[in-house]
Amino acid sequence: MACSFRRAIACQLSRVLNLPPENLITSISAVPISQKEEVADFQLSVDSLLEEDNDHSRPDIQVQAKRLAEKLRCDTVVSEISTGQRTVNFKINRELLTKTVLQQVIEDGSKYGLKSELFSGLPRKKIVVEFSSPNVAKKFHVGHLRSTIIGNFIANLKEALGHQVIRINYLGDWGMQFGLLGTGFQLFGYEEKLQSNPLQHLFEVYVQVNKEAADDKSVAKSAQEFFQRLELGDVQALSLWQKFRDLSIEEYVRVYKRLGVYFDEYSGESFYREKSQEVLKLLESKGLLLKTIKGTAVVDLSGNGDSSSICTVMRSDGTSLYATRDLAAAIDRMDKYNFDTMIYVTDKGQKKHFQQVFQMLKIMGYDWAERCQHVPFGVVQGMKTRRGDVTFLEDVLNEIQLRMLQNMASIKTTKELKNPQETAERVGLAALIIQDFKGLLLSDYKFSWDRVFQSRGDTGVFLQYTHARLHSLEETFGCGYLNDFNTACLQEPQSVSILQHLLRFDEVLYKSSQDLQPRHIVSYLLTLSHLAAVAHRTLQIKDSPPEVAGARLHLFKAVRSVLANGMKLLGITPLFLLVGWM
């Protein structure tokens, strides 16, 4: 794989530069296909070698690159050495490239790219990822979709890299809204409707009680009193709340199953209603808790009364707030898991909240606050069904399934599928995830159904189609050809481009592991799919000589394997039968 080639190049460079090979590995990278000159497989960035050299009188970098190239020699691994713009370029022996890459992909299987030298010094860590976090007693809002799929990707990637990952769903199951909901259910709720369609009924009750509370102060006061009863542990109030929570989780688990997402722990703000009081006592004992004229309690993070740095941690009636419960949750998780890193995946609107939580942990004396990280994301705009504005995730999933089924039914060559509904949903989810992951997570983006379901271009539908089509080749020809193969039969430009791209997979995984952005993997997989589409049209298997057909089939099998690996990291289940309906 790429690491063996990098190592060979680094060893030769180390002898010339008198530096350890380990110091050179990260300066040697596979050249992206989009920027590729035909001669180069790898390039050494001369700039990176000189980063710590402050001698401004040093010779021109391009001159240095040429001097370095002249000192290097071709060998059994490197067949050509040249210079580019501020780089030294290396071309790998073509037969060795072919044999090494294809063997490595097949041998490593799902671990291809993860066994790279780039990850060799990586310490294994215990990582908590908190994501999704819908609000109990409300239908799963579409706004929680991004947190769910982004958090799932981060957890998948960390797990693939060998870390121990704890996936936590921290439910919004406490707070003043439950005062409103409890009061609302007592006024407008029906047990039969709650059992038949719990979240829909609770949603209707919540909307109605909010309207009433806006017009009638006694309803608002009742809601406040109901939440106080909850905080004080009133058995009747807690029993109703527990019923809402249990019914909600049942519904959420069903939705998560459709998304292919799971959690190790369903936690929630309610777990910390008592421990949040301990947090308040600790803040007070450290002289950090300040009482306001209104009776609320705040922490001044600036130390000089700057209003933008004041965080409210207690209401005037003594009840806890979101920030207080997050502090208690963080402390509890460190006690429980002794994590190395804790990642919170929420929208960018909560950036200030987490900055304040992490800062409060630090001034409370918890040095491990530096291990906490917030991964923010932007807003999706324009996600509507044909009936109008979308509010709930299940509406989106149903719309995906319906549109894909209609697409499938409109194609005359559609093959009979065992479970067309499940197939349609899996393709639709791939389309949704790829559109979401193509850009920077922090960016807002405008949702487009038409763009999502394009079968060609940079879409999830195209990825699924490519994977299924390559699997079909293995099914059709695999028995006769998937034995030994002749590397000399894969020297066409289309084959070489694919092999060069496969070389880069570990670098792409490394980049995503550093910044937690899935777009690097998405871009890589889409390029791989386009390269495979070109090769599929030009490199025929049928009617080709056996050794040529066998070599090409090995190449396509390697592409499908890497494509599947990348898709699974993104949270996409690769499909095996789609050919014929697109």
Side-chain angles (χ1 to χ4, degrees):
M1 206 191 95
C3 61
S4 63
F5 295 134
R6 269 194 220 98
R7 167 65 62 174
I9 294 167
C11 285
Q12 187 178 168
L13 284 165
S14 72
R15 290 191 290 271
V16 173
L17 298 169
N18 198 26
L19 289 169
E22 288 72 22
N23 292 16
L24 299 164
I25 293 288
T26 54
S27 298
I28 301 164
S29 58
V31 183
I33 294 293
S34 59
Q35 304 167 13
K36 189 167 289 294
E37 298 174 31
E38 286 182 22
V39 296
D41 296 313
F42 286 91
Q43 63 184 18
L44 169 75
S45 166
V46 179
D47 281 310
S48 67
L49 290 180
L50 303 171
E51 273 177 1
E52 295 181 16
D53 185 356
N54 295 318
D55 181 7
H56 298 292
S57 64
R58 68 191 184 204
D60 179 78
I61 288 177
Q62 198 63 36
V63 173
Q64 292 210 41
K66 286 183 179 178
R67 284 179 186 170
L68 179 57
E70 287 166 3
K71 292 177 185 177
L72 300 169
R73 296 289 176 266
C74 295
D75 53 22
T76 54
V77 175
V78 178
S79 60
E80 284 182 29
I81 299 170
S82 61
T83 55
Q85 193 65 35
R86 306 165 83 90
T87 63
V88 179
N89 299 333
F90 302 87
K91 181 179 178 180
I92 303 300
N93 175 295
R94 283 290 167 255
E95 288 201 25
L96 182 64
L97 174 76
T98 307
K99 186 176 181 180
T100 305
V101 172
L102 295 187
Q103 278 186 350
Q104 204 73 57
V105 172
I106 303 305
E107 284 173 16
D108 288 353
S110 63
K111 294 292 182 184
Y112 179 74
L114 298 165
K115 291 184 175 183
S116 168
E117 215 164 29
L118 295 175
F119 300 111
S120 61
L122 193 72
R124 298 294 175 255
K125 294 182 177 180
K126 189 178 284 187
I127 299 172
V128 171
V129 185
E130 181 199 295
F131 64 104
S132 193
S133 306
N135 295 311
V136 162
K138 294 182 182 178
K139 289 185 80 172
F140 200 128
H141 193 276
V142 73
H144 294 281
L145 174 63
R146 289 205 85 186
S147 175
T148 305
I149 60 176
I150 293 166
N152 189 50
F153 158 72
I154 291 170
N156 289 345
L157 182 61
K158 294 293 186 184
E159 250 171 20
L161 291 170
H163 301 298
Q164 182 186 347
V165 176
I166 300 105
R167 302 163 185 249
I168 294 181
N169 196 343
Y170 184 64
L171 301 170
D173 65 354
W174 204 249
M176 193 58 212
Q177 70 269 29
F178 287 95
L180 280 163
L181 195 60
T183 297
F185 191 77
Q186 289 171 341
L187 292 171
F188 315 114
Y190 293 93
E191 190 62 36
E192 304 80 25
K193 287 185 178 181
L194 183 66
Q195 294 302 326
S196 63
N197 194 348
L199 296 190
Q200 183 60 39
H201 183 52
L202 290 175
F203 173 69
E204 289 164 357
V205 167
Y206 190 71
V207 170
Q208 194 171 355
V209 75
N210 264 292
K211 285 179 183 175
E212 292 291 328
D215 299 330
D216 188 342
K217 287 184 180 179
S218 67
V219 174
K221 188 180 178 186
S222 294
Q224 195 172 9
E225 287 170 354
F226 189 95
F227 182 55
Q228 278 182 294
R229 284 167 57 202
L230 278 176
E231 288 250 309
L232 292 169
D234 179 84
V235 175
Q236 191 178 1
L238 279 173
S239 174
L240 188 58
W241 166 84
Q242 188 68 51
K243 184 188 288 186
F244 295 163
R245 189 181 194 276
D246 291 345
L247 289 169
S248 299
I249 291 176
E250 278 180 33
E251 290 289 298
Y252 296 153
V253 169
R254 190 172 54 79
V255 175
Y256 288 130
K257 191 174 180 182
R258 290 180 73 177
L259 290 169
V261 172
Y262 73 92
F263 294 91
D264 299 302
E265 179 183 307
Y266 280 87
S267 178
E269 293 180 66
S270 62
F271 284 53
Y272 303 104
R273 61 181 187 270
E274 291 176 9
K275 289 185 178 180
S276 62
Q277 296 301 317
E278 294 172 20
V279 167
L280 291 171
K281 286 175 186 174
L282 183 59
L283 285 167
E284 190 169 25
S285 71
K286 289 182 176 286
L288 298 169
L289 203 64
L290 305 172
K291 289 285 180 73
T292 67
I293 300 170
K294 295 178 181 178
T296 59
V298 301
V299 175
D300 178 7
L301 295 167
S302 68
N304 58 19
D306 179 0
S307 59
S308 65
S309 298
I310 287 176
C311 181
T312 305
V313 291
M314 188 185 78
R315 290 190 181 88
S316 57
D317 60 6
T319 56
S320 61
L321 284 158
Y322 183 47
T324 332
R325 295 189 287 272
D326 262 359
L327 289 168
I331 295 164
D332 180 62
R333 288 171 192 169
M334 175 49 78
D335 291 341
K336 186 176 180 180
Y337 297 115
N338 191 28
F339 57 78
D340 296 295
T341 306
M342 180 157 61
I343 299 168
Y344 297 84
V345 184
T346 73
D347 68 84
K348 61 187 178 184
Q350 295 194 52
K351 185 178 178 181
K352 184 179 178 181
H353 164 77
F354 283 107
Q355 284 174 342
Q356 291 186 331
V357 167
F358 301 160
Q359 200 176 339
M360 276 191 283
L361 285 169
K362 201 166 184 180
I363 63 174
M364 288 167 76
Y366 297 113
D367 293 339
W368 50 260
E370 293 178 355
R371 303 184 202 175
C372 299
Q373 178 183 358
H374 178 220
V375 176
F377 55 82
V379 178
V380 184
Q381 299 158 338
M383 192 178 270
K384 299 178 182 179
T385 64
R386 287 167 184 167
R387 295 189 305 275
D389 288 347
V390 163
T391 305
F392 306 122
L393 177 58
E394 216 160 6
D395 294 332
V396 174
L397 296 181
N398 293 338
E399 183 89 2
I400 281 171
Q401 191 182 78
L402 178 64
R403 289 190 186 226
M404 289 309 308
L405 283 169
Q406 288 173 344
N407 284 3
M408 290 158 65
S410 68
I411 306 297
K412 293 178 183 177
T413 57
T414 297
K415 287 186 177 181
E416 196 65 38
L417 297 170
K418 286 182 182 177
N419 191 336
Q421 285 82 10
E422 185 180 338
T423 298
E425 184 155 292
R426 296 234 175 270
V427 177
L429 276 172
L432 204 64
I433 288 169
I434 292 301
Q435 174 160 284
D436 195 285
F437 285 178
K438 275 164 72 175
L440 275 167
L441 294 181
L442 200 54
S443 301
D444 299 338
Y445 75 90
K446 196 169 179 65
F447 183 84
S448 164
W449 285 107
D450 292 336
R451 194 166 63 246
V452 160
F453 291 118
Q454 287 174 358
S455 59
R456 288 177 175 79
D458 292 344
T459 66
V461 179
F462 177 56
L463 281 190
Q464 287 283 29
Y465 176 54
T466 303
H467 182 273
R469 184 164 60 175
L470 295 175
H471 181 262
S472 179
L473 285 178
E474 292 172 44
E475 291 280 293
T476 306
F477 301 108
C479 296
Y481 295 125
L482 272 177
N483 296 312
D484 199 14
F485 66 97
N486 185 352
T487 55
C489 297
L490 288 175
Q491 301 309 312
E492 308 90 346
Q494 298 92 332
S495 300
V496 173
S497 290
I498 286 174
L499 291 164
Q500 289 170 323
H501 195 58
L502 291 176
L503 272 179
R504 292 190 61 239
F505 191 50
D506 62 343
E507 292 179 13
V508 171
L509 295 179
Y510 182 74
K511 205 169 183 179
S512 279
S513 75
Q514 293 298 295
D515 64 9
L516 302 182
Q517 295 284 333
R519 64 194 178 102
H520 310 302
I521 297 173
V522 169
S523 175
Y524 176 89
L525 295 180
L526 289 168
T527 299
L528 183 60
S529 294
H530 286 298
L531 291 171
V534 171
H536 184 262
R537 288 194 298 270
T538 54
L539 305 179
Q540 297 297 315
I541 294 176
K542 190 178 180 182
D543 300 327
S544 293
E547 64 175 9
V548 174
R552 289 174 178 176
L553 197 57
H554 266 87
L555 181 70
F556 288 129
K557 184 177 181 179
V559 171
R560 186 191 64 76
S561 177
V562 174
L563 197 57
N565 292 350
M567 289 166 75
K568 287 172 186 174
L569 286 176
L570 297 173
I572 297 169
T573 303
L575 289 172
F576 296 97
L577 183 58
L578 286 176
V579 180
W581 61 264
M582 295 179 61

